[in-house]
């Protein structure tokens, strides 16, 4: 069992929180995990990316080579495109469709989405809207984690335990909100796969 994941987004979106939750869930299952992060001016809305490798066998490197990632999970569509070369041929792209326009020459979002739609294994929806619809606009990252969860080799209930463990210090209300966000994202992907 092995899952190599590229997590991508913009500083402040919560990409590293996703990595923390998955890391905690993996450790609770006695799995091996390696992680490498790039914080590109994250305080100013710069590129944030994490390599996350999870396996039941020892992992030699914390970096995922080109064409080897099983999943590309992104909170920002243009950042998603940036890391496409890391995805393997059978890999899945899970992304929010909402741009984070942090540069003056951000490309037309329709052009970005047209490029992403060239991939057969694409799950893309407005995760910001879903977060607002459940009354938790700050949980977009956990909705994304839920959307990616059907493709991660850790059972959903164990990822939920990771969420509970990571957010426990913030109180039960925050835990419950994040578990709800995870379940909403997961269900959206399961519905999408079923209809595909």
């Amino acid at each position: 069992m092995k899952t190599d994941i590229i997590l991508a987004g913009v500083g402040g979106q919560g990409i590293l929180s996703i990595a923390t939750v998955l890391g905690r869930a993996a450790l609770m299952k006695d799995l091996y995990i390696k992680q490498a992060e790039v914080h590109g001016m994250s305080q100013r809305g710069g590129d944030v990316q994490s390599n996350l490798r999870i396996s039941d066998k020892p992992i030699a490197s914390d970096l995922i080579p080109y064409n080897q990632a099983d999943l590309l999970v992104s909170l920002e569509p243009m950042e998603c495109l940036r890391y496409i070369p890391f995805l393997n041929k059978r890999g899945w792209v899970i992304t929010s469709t909402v741009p984070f326009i942090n540069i003056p020459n951000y490309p037309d979002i329709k052009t970005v989405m047209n490029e992403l739609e060239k991939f057969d294994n694409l799950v893309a929806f407005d995760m910001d809207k879903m977060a607002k619809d459940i009354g938790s606009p700050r949980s977009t990252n956990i909705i994304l984690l839920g959307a990616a969860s059907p493709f991660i080799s850790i059972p959903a209930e164990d990822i939920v335990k990771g969420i509970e463990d990571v957010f426990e210090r913030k109180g039960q209300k925050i835990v419950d909100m994040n578990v709800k966000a995870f379940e909403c994202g997961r269900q959206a992907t399961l519905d999408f796969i079923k209809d595909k």
Side-chain angles (χ1 to χ4, degrees):
M1 179 281 284
K2 171 190 79 72
T3 307
D4 284 343
I5 307 168
I6 299 284
L7 299 167
V10 171
Q13 287 189 303
I15 286 297
L16 301 182
S17 294
I18 294 173
T20 300
V21 167
L22 285 175
R24 197 71 54 90
L27 291 174
M28 287 192 286
K29 292 295 288 180
D30 290 325
L31 296 171
Y32 293 93
I33 181 168
K34 293 262 185 170
Q35 180 183 0
E37 300 169 358
V38 173
H39 307 261
M41 294 182 64
S42 61
Q43 293 298 319
R44 297 182 187 208
D47 170 38
V48 174
Q49 177 260 341
S50 181
N51 284 237
L52 188 61
R53 308 187 85 183
I54 302 167
S55 178
D56 58 354
K57 295 179 175 52
I59 303 165
S61 171
D62 53 358
L63 295 177
I64 300 170
Y66 284 119
N67 302 312
Q68 296 299 309
D70 302 298
L71 287 174
L72 172 51
V73 179
S74 181
L75 273 166
E76 209 292 320
M78 189 179 74
E79 291 301 327
C80 187
L81 278 179
R82 181 191 308 259
Y83 294 101
I84 288 292
F86 286 91
L87 196 65
N88 71 41
K89 290 179 181 172
R90 298 171 314 284
W92 280 84
V93 176
I94 297 90
T95 187
S96 178
T97 57
V98 180
F100 187 104
I101 301 174
N102 56 347
I103 54 174
N105 59 344
Y106 192 100
D108 177 65
I109 189 59
K110 289 180 183 173
T111 303
V112 173
M113 291 311 301
N114 285 343
E115 286 300 310
L116 288 172
E117 288 166 3
K118 292 177 181 177
F119 293 89
D120 291 332
N121 294 343
L122 172 68
V123 175
F125 55 88
D126 185 340
M127 296 181 195
D128 285 3
K129 181 181 182 312
M130 184 176 286
K132 288 174 188 163
D133 288 349
I134 64 168
S136 181
R138 296 189 65 201
S139 64
T140 303
N141 61 330
I142 303 301
I143 286 177
L144 176 68
L145 174 58
S149 67
F151 311 107
I152 298 172
S153 54
I154 299 173
E157 59 270 18
D158 293 314
I159 298 174
V160 167
K161 288 177 187 170
I163 291 169
E164 292 167 346
D165 192 55
V166 167
F167 291 101
E168 178 181 36
R169 64 184 172 82
K170 294 187 176 186
Q172 193 59 45
K173 184 177 178 183
I174 300 296
V175 169
D176 293 345
M177 177 186 67
N178 281 288
V179 169
K180 181 178 181 180
F182 173 83
E183 290 169 349
C184 286
R186 181 175 174 80
Q187 193 59 54
T189 293
L190 291 174
D191 291 345
F192 174 79
I193 294 169
K194 182 180 67 177
D195 294 339
K196 197 169 181 188

